[in-house]
Amino acid sequence: MFGMDEKMINPVYLQIVEELKRKINSGSLKPGDAVASENALSKEYGASRMTVRKGLAVLAKDGYIYSIPGKGSFVQKPELNKYTIYYDEMKNSINTVDRSRLLEVNIIMPDEKLAGELQITRNKNVIVIRRLFFTEGKPIAYDLKYLPYSKGMPIVEEELEQATFPEMVSGSVSSFSLKKELTIYAQPPDEEIRRHLKIHDDLALLVIEQRIHNEENKPIGFCVTYFRGDYIKLKGRSE
């Protein structure tokens, strides 16, 4: 209904969440300060203790408060060094991949490092997918993806050529259940990568490793992408 007061629109537990967030963000409640008790919040909002607990649980999940059994809830100290990085292998803040070329799809036996990444034995077959990424006709990244092989697993090269890593591994797994981890570092290119990316000077690579786990935390894919350092920039922000 138009013109209705916000408190009449939002569920009570969300009113509690937003009001306490406002107090914390404005500095009215500082790190270490005690949050009003469940009884006090119940009286203030005319809500059940179950509703209050639901609101406090949201605040705890969002990192605003923490609880000490028998003592209550307290304002959490913010993690000032924690950032969220938005990463898409086909798109970053200064460049977009407009074409990829499939170099190879093969089945290999993993070395010790790869077997460790995928948490498999060295006699377990692995699919390796090698690709080049291009921007305006120039090769800007060399991409390697490794997937544990299962008997009868289809390998459709036309689909692999353009697919992102999560798309490759989510065929039999819900994308909502995937857990992803990134490792980012710089290194000089070896001769193979120099040749593929046409590097003729001392240009460094930005290397991004991706690990994808299923809901049981089992690795289902490992990826290493070597970007020319002049074609990628990543940004992060604190939440």
Side-chain angles (χ1 to χ4, degrees):
M1 182 181 296
F2 294 105
M4 184 178 291
D5 185 89
E6 184 179 357
K7 289 188 176 182
M8 296 178 66
I9 299 174
N10 288 336
V12 176
Y13 83 93
L14 287 181
Q15 296 175 31
I16 296 171
V17 169
E18 294 306 316
E19 180 64 15
L20 288 176
K21 279 186 177 181
R22 186 190 64 77
K23 289 181 178 179
I24 293 170
N25 289 333
S26 68
S28 298
L29 286 173
K30 296 179 172 56
D33 285 353
V35 177
S37 69
E38 290 182 5
N39 282 336
L41 290 170
S42 294
K43 292 178 181 178
E44 181 179 352
Y45 289 91
S48 67
R49 291 187 66 174
M50 183 177 293
T51 297
V52 170
R53 286 172 186 164
K54 187 175 182 180
L56 294 177
V58 172
L59 288 165
K61 182 177 179 294
D62 290 349
Y64 279 84
I65 66 172
Y66 63 95
S67 297
I68 299 177
K71 293 189 176 181
S73 297
F74 300 84
V75 179
Q76 182 72 268
K77 183 178 179 180
E79 296 186 62
L80 299 177
N81 295 322
K82 184 177 180 180
Y83 295 83
T84 299
I85 293 178
Y86 296 89
Y87 173 67
D88 181 336
E89 63 196 50
M90 298 296 187
K91 185 177 181 181
N92 65 80
S93 60
I94 63 171
N95 177 58
T96 298
V97 173
D98 52 36
R99 182 172 69 88
S100 64
R101 186 171 82 212
L102 188 64
L103 301 177
E104 176 191 26
V105 179
N106 205 352
I107 297 176
I108 63 171
M109 303 296 286
D111 59 18
E112 186 174 349
K113 180 181 184 300
L114 181 57
E117 290 288 355
L118 295 174
Q119 295 180 20
I120 58 175
T121 59
R122 293 189 61 183
N123 62 354
K124 172 75 173 177
N125 288 335
V126 172
I127 297 174
V128 59
I129 302 158
R130 303 177 191 270
R131 299 187 298 178
L132 278 179
F133 295 158
F134 293 83
T135 293
E136 297 179 350
K138 297 179 180 179
I140 56 93
Y142 179 58
D143 183 65
L144 296 169
K145 290 177 168 49
Y146 302 96
L147 309 174
Y149 176 74
S150 299
K151 189 175 181 179
M153 182 177 182
I155 302 174
V156 183
E157 294 189 0
E158 291 79 6
E159 295 178 2
L160 294 178
E161 189 163 17
Q162 303 297 330
T164 63
F165 195 30
E167 289 170 343
M168 287 183 186
V169 301
S170 63
S172 59
V173 180
S174 168
S175 58
F176 291 100
S177 67
L178 297 178
K179 301 174 184 177
K180 293 170 280 186
E181 174 186 311
L182 294 181
T183 301
I184 302 170
Y185 55 93
Q187 75 173 45
D190 61 21
E191 286 306 312
E192 180 184 14
I193 296 176
R194 281 181 181 275
R195 184 176 70 255
H196 281 301
L197 300 184
K198 303 186 184 305
I199 296 174
H200 307 292
D201 51 25
D202 295 328
L203 179 71
L205 302 170
L206 184 66
V207 185
I208 300 181
E209 296 180 355
Q210 295 184 75
R211 295 164 184 83
I212 296 186
H213 298 74
N214 61 17
E215 57 185 353
E216 286 84 32
N217 212 34
K218 180 180 179 181
I220 56 176
F222 174 62
C223 166
V224 188
T225 308
Y226 302 89
F227 288 93
R228 288 180 56 111
D230 54 352
Y231 273 81
I232 185 170
K233 180 186 289 186
L234 300 180
K235 289 185 178 181
R237 70 179 185 185
S238 61
E239 295 294 337

